[in-house]
Amino acid sequence: DSGVTQTPKHLITATGQRVTLRCSPRSGDLSVYWYQQSLDQGLQFLIQYYNGEERAKGNILERFSAQQFPDLHSELNLSSLELGDSALYFCASSVTVADYGYTFGSGTRLTVV
Amino acid sequence: SQQGEEDPQALSIQEGENATMNCSYKTSINNLQWYRQNSGRGLVHLILIRSNEREKHSGRLRVTLDTSKKSSSLLITASRAADTASYFCATALASGGSYIPTFGRGTSLIVHP
């Protein structure tokens, strides 16, 4: 157990639907990062939050949004889902915004049918 | 875009042999990190090497870094079937006051018993 908790572990949903993925960072970590991992695109950075504020944005689609709550857990919302959104979604956390010390969760496997 | 690129994409060896994976990156770095991912699971941090270090050891792992060539290698000695996994190098790219861990596509290692 890495200390980063992601729920649910698996999610199957239909095209056009909306889902919410949840991440609880390791205790004491203020920064949360979201990644999408697919076979053809590898591990792609989506978005980062630090202490409730958005700090960096990567290749995140407009249909996707995220937020970090006062208790530091984060949610990634995916809407108008397409077949191509099927992937593993990971979150990672770190204490600060430094260039080391990242801990990954075990991921949510999203399947869009 | 990928900051790091691992080579080879796939590696198949027998138990007891050594496995060498290479990583090239594009920009200057403060450090380079290697992670391991078992199939469908989260990434686990293996080792970090700083830009002023040339070599680092951790158990059966040996990492080298050549900043002049912007490359790193990960050597796993006396491999075991349990080492079967994907291995990723990561560098932290500066973005808006944060550092974002950015990954290559990974090397898939299969160790045959």
Side-chain angles (χ1 to χ4, degrees):
Chain A
D1 181 9
S2 68
V4 178
T5 304
Q6 290 189 248
T7 56
K9 293 193 184 307
H10 302 275
L11 199 49
I12 302 175
T13 190
T15 54
Q17 294 298 305
R18 172 190 170 93
V19 297
T20 296
L21 312 184
R22 181 188 170 104
C23 170
S24 294
R26 203 177 54 155
S27 178
D29 286 359
L30 300 178
S31 191
V32 170
Y33 311 77
W34 284 98
Y35 288 84
Q36 179 193 58
Q37 186 180 37
S38 58
L39 282 175
D40 57 341
Q41 292 293 322
L43 202 67
Q44 296 287 320
F45 167 68
L46 296 178
I47 197 163
Q48 180 213 6
Y49 283 84
Y50 176 72
N51 204 20
E53 294 188 1
E54 181 185 308
R55 291 297 293 266
K57 220 168 187 176
N59 300 322
I60 187 166
L61 299 173
E62 286 190 10
R63 300 183 286 109
F64 296 0
S65 65
Q67 59 185 127
Q68 186 179 29
F69 295 86
D71 67 352
L72 300 176
H73 91 272
S74 179
E75 293 181 356
L76 179 66
N77 301 296
L78 315 176
S79 62
S80 303
L81 285 167
E82 302 175 358
L83 295 178
D85 297 327
S86 296
L88 268 168
Y89 291 84
F90 289 104
C91 95
S93 71
S94 63
V95 175
T96 65
V97 294
D99 57 357
Y100 62 92
Y102 310 107
T103 304
F104 279 78
S106 57
T108 293
R109 180 174 292 281
L110 173 66
T111 302
V112 182
V113 297
Chain B
S1 63
Q2 304 297 127
Q3 158 72 335
E5 292 294 342
E6 292 87 348
D7 171 65
Q9 288 187 338
L11 185 57
S12 180
I13 60 174
Q14 294 295 129
E15 214 167 27
E17 294 179 341
N18 295 341
T20 300
M21 289 157 266
N22 303 296
C23 167
S24 60
Y25 57 92
K26 298 174 183 174
T27 63
S28 61
I29 58 172
N30 295 328
N31 64 65
L32 185 140
Q33 300 162 52
W34 284 91
Y35 289 79
R36 164 193 170 126
Q37 182 183 31
N38 287 80
S39 180
R41 308 295 296 274
L43 279 76
V44 175
H45 180 261
L46 294 177
I47 194 167
L48 178 152
I49 185 166
R50 301 194 184 283
S51 59
N52 61 353
E53 297 176 309
R54 291 295 168 260
E55 188 171 312
K56 198 164 183 180
H57 296 255
S58 176
R60 294 183 296 112
L61 305 180
R62 172 179 169 253
V63 169
T64 62
L65 179 65
D66 186 336
T67 53
S68 67
K69 295 181 179 178
K70 293 188 169 58
S71 67
S72 174
S73 68
L74 171 67
L75 168 67
I76 304 174
T77 60
S79 63
R80 306 166 181 168
D83 295 327
T84 294
S86 291
Y87 293 82
F88 296 84
C89 66
T91 56
L93 295 184
S95 175
S98 280
Y99 285 96
I100 305 302
T102 306
F103 296 82
R105 292 186 182 276
T107 292
S108 176
L109 172 65
I110 297 175
V111 182
H112 300 279

